[in-house]
Amino acid sequence: MALTESQLKKMLGKYKYRDLTVQETINVITQYKDLKPVMDGYVFNDGSSRELMSLTGTIPVIYRGNTYNIPICLWLLDTYPFNPPICFVKPTSSMTIKTGKHVDANGKIYLPYLHEWKHPQSDLIGLIQVMIVVFGEEPPVFSRPTISASYPPYQATGPPNRGGMVVDMT
């Protein structure tokens, strides 16, 4: 179910620039239908927490000719859009984070676009487009190898061999 503008405004009631945030959120969820706005507690590095909205879901990334859905989470601070979102790759249980120049072991995303964030030139659509390009060159996640127990079927061929001594009962 898509959220309406009034529902988003209610969700973002404590945001300083609510109307700007609502408009950008609508632009994103219209273009990237798998990203969904979610209110949740975000815990900062200092241990404090705040109720913030995130856009959570996947973005389509082309890597070596195939399209992959990369799971991300973009946390919007209550001072958004004047502060950049806090961005993470959110691997599924079948994925592992691939650390690199743009992603750390916790999945936090580092991009020049975020570091140089300046409203109104910077926005969520531009950020997602940069992620798609960067992740297409260096994917931030990879599939875990599936461990399949492919043992040959056990064939019972008589009583088990107990090893050891053979006792002649005659």
Side-chain angles (χ1 to χ4, degrees):
M1 173 188 98
L3 286 174
T4 64
E5 186 172 340
S6 62
Q7 288 170 313
L8 275 172
K9 283 184 177 182
K10 190 173 182 182
M11 258 173 92
L12 297 170
K14 293 186 174 154
Y15 275 57
K16 290 180 178 72
Y17 310 101
R18 182 187 72 180
D19 292 347
L20 287 171
T21 306
V22 166
Q23 196 51 56
E24 267 205 63
T25 301
I26 289 170
N27 291 345
V28 168
I29 63 179
T30 301
Q31 189 165 340
Y32 297 98
K33 304 219 181 293
D34 193 51
L35 291 175
K36 307 285 186 240
V38 179
M39 288 301 288
D40 205 356
Y42 180 84
V43 179
F44 292 89
N45 290 339
D46 66 3
S48 66
S49 65
R50 199 177 303 155
E51 190 78 6
L52 296 176
M53 186 184 79
S54 69
L55 288 166
T56 303
T58 63
I59 56 172
V61 172
I62 298 172
Y63 178 68
R64 294 186 179 167
N66 295 312
T67 301
Y68 297 92
N69 292 314
I70 304 297
I72 61 168
C73 180
L74 311 177
W75 288 95
L76 306 185
L77 296 168
D78 53 8
T79 52
Y80 184 86
F82 293 93
N83 290 102
I86 302 167
C87 305
F88 290 91
V89 173
K90 301 295 281 185
T92 64
S93 59
S94 64
M95 296 177 180
T96 300
I97 293 171
K98 183 175 187 285
T99 57
K101 189 165 64 173
H102 301 292
V103 179
D104 71 14
N106 296 318
K108 187 165 185 188
I109 298 169
Y110 297 90
L111 294 168
Y113 193 90
L114 288 167
H115 183 71
E116 297 158 8
W117 187 272
K118 186 165 176 53
H119 177 75
Q121 295 88 338
S122 305
D123 63 16
L124 292 172
I125 295 285
L127 171 62
I128 292 167
Q129 289 170 342
V130 168
M131 285 182 183
I132 288 170
V133 169
V134 168
F135 294 164
E137 294 166 2
E138 188 181 337
V141 291
F142 59 91
S143 295
R144 289 180 192 265
T146 53
I147 302 165
S148 59
S150 56
Y151 300 107
Y154 177 74
Q155 293 180 336
T157 56
N161 180 0
R162 294 207 182 347
M165 266 187 342
V166 175
V167 180
D168 184 10
M169 304 291 265
T170 54

